[in-house]
Amino acid sequence: MKKLLIFLTAIIILLFAYSNNYYIKEKKMNDIPKNAKYCYFASGCFWGTEYWFEQADGVFEAVSGYSGGHKANPTYMEVCTGLTGHLETVKVGYDADKTTYEDLVRLFFETHNFTQKNGQGPDIGSQYLSAIFYQNEEEKSVAEKYINILKEKGYDVATTLREYKNFYEAEDYHQDYYFKKGSIPYCHFYNKIF
């Protein structure tokens, strides 16, 4: 009886995980708004970054991946070596009729330690650095504005601004990590600053 109960519990958990994953993928494919825009943020482990952006008003998707490096289509293991030059990055898809790039920049700074120079929390290494990948002068100007505001508030900002050049989607098991796991990030916390 005990083995049957354990077996049934395992089946229920697997079905729940599958249905949640299906829902997420269907939502991403079917809910792209007419005024969709994309932006790219690196703030340590992409699981936590993705978690906060997925909950933001006006965001229709957040995809974990790799940006800024020199190797095409890197794997997670390659990025972890620090030799590809990539940062763990989240591609944020947002509806420009419901939120702004400026709102997302503020959320970026309020959900990680932008003063840490060698990683994020316990995740140490060049792939975990804080950076904003800007696609045009308008995005760069908004990011610079908030870095300057933070410096005026006395923060030693480690976040760098980098011109966007590439984004490679991470492996499936990295996508929607905390939603699938049913937990919250261990090194990304919301801290109201602005």
Side-chain angles (χ1 to χ4, degrees), residues 36 74 94 96 99 113 115 130 133 144 167-168 173:
Y94 66 100
T99 192
N113 180 0
T115 66
S130 175
F133 292 93
E144 286 174 334
F167 177 82
Y168 301 101
Y173 67 93

Side-chain angles (χ1 to χ4, degrees), residues 55-69:
Q55 297 182 61
D57 290 337
V59 171
F60 62 88
E61 77 171 346
V63 179
S64 290
Y66 316 108
S67 284

Side-chain angles (χ1 to χ4, degrees), residues 47-105:
W47 298 339
T49 308
E50 180 190 73
Y51 173 87
W52 285 106
F53 279 109
E54 282 182 332
Q55 297 182 61
D57 290 337
V59 171
F60 62 88
E61 77 171 346
V63 179
S64 290
Y66 316 108
S67 284
H70 54 81
K71 184 182 188 309
N73 300 304
T75 65
Y76 178 69
M77 295 309 292
E78 290 171 328
V79 172
C80 282
T81 67
L83 299 176
T84 68
H86 293 88
L87 276 66
E88 288 195 12
T89 302
V90 173
K91 173 184 174 183
V92 179
Y94 66 100
D95 184 343
D97 291 331
K98 295 181 178 178
T99 192
T100 65
Y101 179 72
E102 193 161 347
D103 290 336
L104 300 174
V105 168

Side-chain angles (χ1 to χ4, degrees), residues 42-46 67 76 78-89 112-113 116-131 158 160 162 186-188:
S43 59
C45 175
F46 44 35
S67 284
Y76 178 69
E78 290 171 328
V79 172
C80 282
T81 67
L83 299 176
T84 68
H86 293 88
L87 276 66
E88 288 195 12
T89 302
H112 79 292
N113 180 0
Q116 187 171 340
K117 296 181 176 7
N118 58 346
Q120 195 59 209
D123 298 327
I124 305 302
S126 60
Q127 71 272 28
Y128 298 118
L129 298 178
S130 175
T160 59
R162 302 177 185 206
Y186 61 89
C187 65
H188 288 79

